[in-house]
Amino acid sequence: MNDQALREPTLLILTAIADAPRHGYAIAQEVEKISEGRTKMRTGTLYGALERLLEQELIAVHEEEVVDGRRRRSYALAPRGRETLAAEAARLARTAQEATRRLGLGGAAASPGASFSASFSGGGAVVGS
């Protein structure tokens, strides 16, 4: 596992498939939902990222089928991806908790979901311009 922070698109993709396998279009929709509309992944960028994550063994092809003559894959977290995502979520939570404490906003009362969501604030992005 890498000690470096995950880039936001990678974090969002791994998060999008953490609870269930999804195909590309569903992953893009989940990324937009998780980021509260701030990140929209273009098709080429998404599939390039999925190929990279497959090579890194962070994700795996869950299922492959042919629909209307086109290959359709669904992707799931691989064990290494689950471990990487868990470590990144813990790192983000610690950072958010410390920021909340230093701001005097009652870090113990802040919810983990709020901390995670706050980590992504700061304007929208279309990934893959």
Side-chain angles (χ1 to χ4, degrees):
M1 184 169 46
N2 193 343
D3 288 341
Q4 262 187 314
L6 293 178
R7 290 181 42 222
E8 186 173 17
T10 299
L11 174 63
L12 291 169
I13 290 169
L14 295 179
T15 301
I17 62 173
D19 60 343
R22 290 187 168 79
H23 57 81
Y25 180 72
I27 293 170
Q29 288 181 311
E30 285 295 306
V31 163
E32 189 170 347
K33 180 180 170 186
I34 293 164
S35 69
E36 298 176 337
R38 289 183 301 275
T39 301
K40 297 173 181 17
M41 296 203 77
R42 295 179 192 237
T43 304
T45 301
L46 174 63
Y47 286 99
L50 291 172
E51 287 302 315
R52 179 179 50 81
L53 295 172
L54 281 167
E55 289 172 12
Q56 294 173 343
E57 298 180 347
L58 296 176
I59 66 172
V61 174
H62 173 72
E63 190 174 76
E64 192 167 2
E65 60 185 338
V66 177
V67 178
D68 296 329
R70 297 180 66 180
R71 182 178 67 181
R72 180 175 165 167
R73 289 178 164 180
S74 62
Y75 302 89
L77 274 183
R80 183 174 177 199
R82 183 165 297 281
E83 183 179 299
T84 299
L85 181 59
E88 182 68 359
R91 186 191 68 77
L92 287 170
R94 286 190 307 272
T95 302
Q97 184 178 22
E98 182 62 14
T100 300
R101 185 189 69 76
R102 289 179 183 222
L103 287 167
L105 299 175
S111 73
S115 298
F116 184 77
S117 185
S119 298
F120 295 108
S121 62
V126 174
V127 179
S129 307

